[in-house]
Amino acid sequence: MKRAEGNLMMAMNHRAKYAKKLFNPATVAKAIDAVAFEGHRHYRVVQELPFDLSGTEAARALEQWLTEQHFKYMWRPRYLEQDEFRPSIATEHPELVISW
């Protein structure tokens, strides 16, 4: 295996673990209950890292759970704030917004 392949595998493994933690249905359900209790009708799954996680297995499993529970959801673009000292080459990534 070449170095680039190994680095790609490490990156994909890290993203998969992060998505599994972020899109855990039990965690999302608890967060939805908390914001609904406060009167809100939307919940945004906030990512700390600007990765496109919409195609991960964990995201698809959460989408299936949301559909089964009759929630509405959409992936919308989230734009990164540009840091003048460290300009980013990626300016957006999809973010999951859930409504009821």
Side-chain angles (χ1 to χ4, degrees), residues 49-91:
L49 304 172
F51 300 144
D52 180 0
L53 302 174
S54 61
T56 61
E57 190 175 315
R60 283 188 242 116
L62 179 60
E63 288 175 348
Q64 181 180 355
W65 180 83
L66 291 169
T67 301
E68 290 170 0
Q69 300 298 317
H70 301 287
F71 285 103
K72 296 176 183 152
Y73 64 90
M74 66 182 217
W75 291 94
R76 68 173 194 182
R78 177 175 181 246
Y79 298 95
L80 299 176
E81 294 180 21
Q82 294 293 323
D83 183 355
E84 60 189 61
F85 298 109
R86 295 181 298 158
S88 173
I89 57 172
T91 58

Side-chain angles (χ1 to χ4, degrees), residues 21-36:
K21 177 183 167 189
L22 188 67
F23 299 130
N24 181 346
T27 305
V28 172
K30 186 176 178 181
I32 288 171
D33 290 346
V35 296

Side-chain angles (χ1 to χ4, degrees), residues 25-38 42-45 100:
T27 305
V28 172
K30 186 176 178 181
I32 288 171
D33 290 346
V35 296
F37 183 74
E38 294 175 356
H42 295 86
Y43 174 68
R44 201 171 57 112
V45 179
W100 50 92

